Amino acid sequence: RDICGRKTYLAAEKPIRAGEVWVIRGRSQKNDAASLIEAIDKALEEKAPDWSERNQYCYIMDPSLEEGEEDIFGDPVILITNKDMTPMAPSTLTIGSSLTALSGSFVFCLGTYGSNKLITDRLQEASNMANYDLSWFNELLIPLIGAFFAIQASHELGHLFIAWRDKMKVTPPTILPSLGLPYVGTLTRMKTAPKDYSTLFDFGFAGPVTGMGVAFAFLVWGLQLTVTMDQEAAQYLPSVPVGFLKLSSLGGTVVDQILGGGAGIMLQEDPTTMISLHPFAIAGFTAMIINALDLIPIGSTDGARLSQAVLGRVGQTVVGGFAYIILLGALVFLDQRDVFLSYCLVNSIVQRELEVPCKNEVDKAEVGRAAAAIAAYFVAALVLVPL
């Protein structure tokens, strides 16, 4: 009552409780949403400084449809919620997901050395002699595991930078398991409402774009190291099949350009033919796919955050529906179904709902961010469309 009034938001009726939230309908006394948010924040700081420690508010389009209205959303309303907006998930589920994904990642890294006869013979010999000093093999695994960690860390640091800049609280990342890939991505939820759609966009954009850029750098760096490596060291390289490299048009083309001279001869080999690559190249190629998957606009993925920031909740619902249709087509027509199947299964469970409300959901992200979203989607499509 002390906050809403003639200088901020004039309530038209008493607050209405809807589940765990309160809805206040009325009329803004400011010319735009940003000015209203600024005025309410100032009033809260002056008159109720402790209120924000337990609660938060959002200025959103009224989601309730009145009889006779044509628009799916009415006038903006104020939504009051608890401070922590994170969807509840059992800690055993998040820990179990991360442990499963880490185990899958370790198995993936081991598998890249499975077709190297020199390494498998040395491991077999060590087993026969009960020699458990495998430090030489650990030295081969560390660059691959370390590259995956560095790339994913860059993704999370992109999120954390925006969260720090805009004073948002986020959850620790949960690693999501996958079939065909080490993992399918990470889930970092927002505990407090983003300031506006621009903040939501920046948070969703910074993670996968940073991760994809670092992954691409590792790919090119690793390919250069593969080309310049001496023959003795090259005998211990990990390898992946040609069929795996064909998962990505962009990644496969870069590999063929640097290793095969761009003639396409390498990628015309039998899909089961193994290609030896430096660990950095394998990690970079794989992480490009993982970060590109995160840009698919379904549920509350980073790609969905971009779409929601530009088009709003209704627009993202439509875009997400089209994305699911495309994914269904990929499951039907593509040979490599494991990646998209696990992606759909995991995200339909943990990220099926839209992102938490922003403090200001009336003002959409500006044109510049919309153009950046289109560019990010285009690059993700180049990565995900197979050769």
Side-chain angles (χ1 to χ4, degrees), residues 4-337:
C4 293
R6 296 184 181 277
K7 293 183 179 181
T8 54
Y9 185 84
L10 192 59
E13 58 187 17
K14 292 182 178 180
I16 301 173
R17 185 162 189 169
E20 297 181 355
V21 303
W22 290 86
V23 179
I24 303 176
R25 292 191 175 91
R27 187 75 63 178
S28 172
Q29 303 302 296
K30 298 296 182 180
N31 294 329
D32 54 71
S35 299
L36 175 63
I37 298 299
E38 183 179 353
I40 293 178
D41 284 345
K42 183 178 179 180
L44 284 171
E45 186 177 351
E46 293 176 353
K47 300 179 180 180
D50 297 335
W51 186 88
S52 296
E53 295 179 3
R54 304 181 303 275
N55 311 283
Q56 59 185 331
Y57 72 93
C58 303
Y59 186 53
I60 68 173
M61 304 304 293
D62 190 349
S64 59
L65 183 64
E66 300 288 344
E67 185 177 355
E69 290 183 352
E70 295 182 359
D71 295 334
I72 193 169
F73 286 114
D75 294 329
V77 298
I78 291 179
L79 191 73
I80 299 177
T81 71
N82 293 327
K83 184 68 174 180
D84 190 346
M85 303 178 73
T86 312
M88 298 299 294
S91 58
T92 53
L93 180 61
T94 58
I95 294 173
S97 173
S98 294
L99 290 176
T100 301
L102 288 174
S103 300
S105 300
F106 184 69
V107 170
F108 177 90
C109 293
L110 288 176
T112 61
Y113 289 94
S115 63
N116 188 314
K117 192 173 186 305
L118 177 61
I119 293 177
T120 54
D121 287 347
R122 284 193 61 176
L123 290 173
Q124 185 63 49
E125 180 182 354
S127 176
N128 294 336
M129 298 177 62
N131 180 8
Y132 302 111
D133 181 13
L134 299 179
S135 57
W136 63 273
F137 185 57
N138 293 336
E139 291 178 0
L140 297 177
L141 280 175
I142 287 174
L144 183 56
I145 296 174
F148 275 122
F149 175 82
I151 296 169
Q152 192 58 44
S154 70
H155 178 120
E156 297 306 322
L157 286 174
H159 284 321
L160 290 176
F161 172 76
I162 301 300
W164 168 80
R165 186 195 70 181
D166 294 328
K167 298 181 176 61
M168 291 189 301
K169 292 183 179 180
V170 297
T171 64
T174 299
I175 311 174
L176 305 177
S178 173
L179 298 173
L181 294 173
Y183 55 96
V184 77
T186 55
L187 174 61
T188 304
R189 295 188 182 277
M190 297 182 180
K191 299 178 69 175
T192 56
K195 178 182 177 182
D196 50 29
Y197 272 141
S198 293
T199 298
L200 177 65
F201 180 95
D202 293 347
F203 184 85
F205 186 83
V209 170
T210 301
M212 197 178 303
V214 174
F216 184 79
F218 265 96
L219 172 61
V220 175
W221 185 14
L223 292 174
Q224 294 293 343
L225 291 174
T226 303
V227 172
T228 58
M229 184 173 289
D230 63 81
Q231 187 173 357
E232 182 178 354
Q235 296 177 13
Y236 289 89
L237 284 177
S239 59
V240 292
V242 169
F244 183 76
L245 295 177
K246 288 185 175 182
L247 283 175
S248 170
S249 292
L250 179 60
T253 300
V254 172
V255 172
D256 183 71
Q257 185 69 34
I258 296 178
L259 296 188
I265 297 176
M266 185 184 67
L267 295 179
Q268 292 175 7
E269 297 284 343
D270 186 274
T272 60
T273 301
M274 304 302 292
I275 304 295
S276 297
L277 297 171
H278 190 277
F280 288 175
I282 293 177
F285 179 92
T286 308
M288 281 177 60
I289 296 176
I290 293 172
N291 281 276
L293 286 170
D294 195 33
L295 282 169
I296 296 177
I298 61 173
S300 56
T301 63
D302 285 326
R305 287 165 175 158
L306 305 189
S307 178
Q308 183 176 329
V310 174
L311 301 175
R313 290 184 175 271
V314 175
Q316 163 50 25
T317 302
V318 175
V319 171
F322 280 114
Y324 271 116
I325 293 174
I326 294 173
L327 287 171
L328 179 61
L331 292 175
V332 173
F333 296 107
L334 295 183
D335 294 331
Q336 296 286 351
R337 299 182 179 89

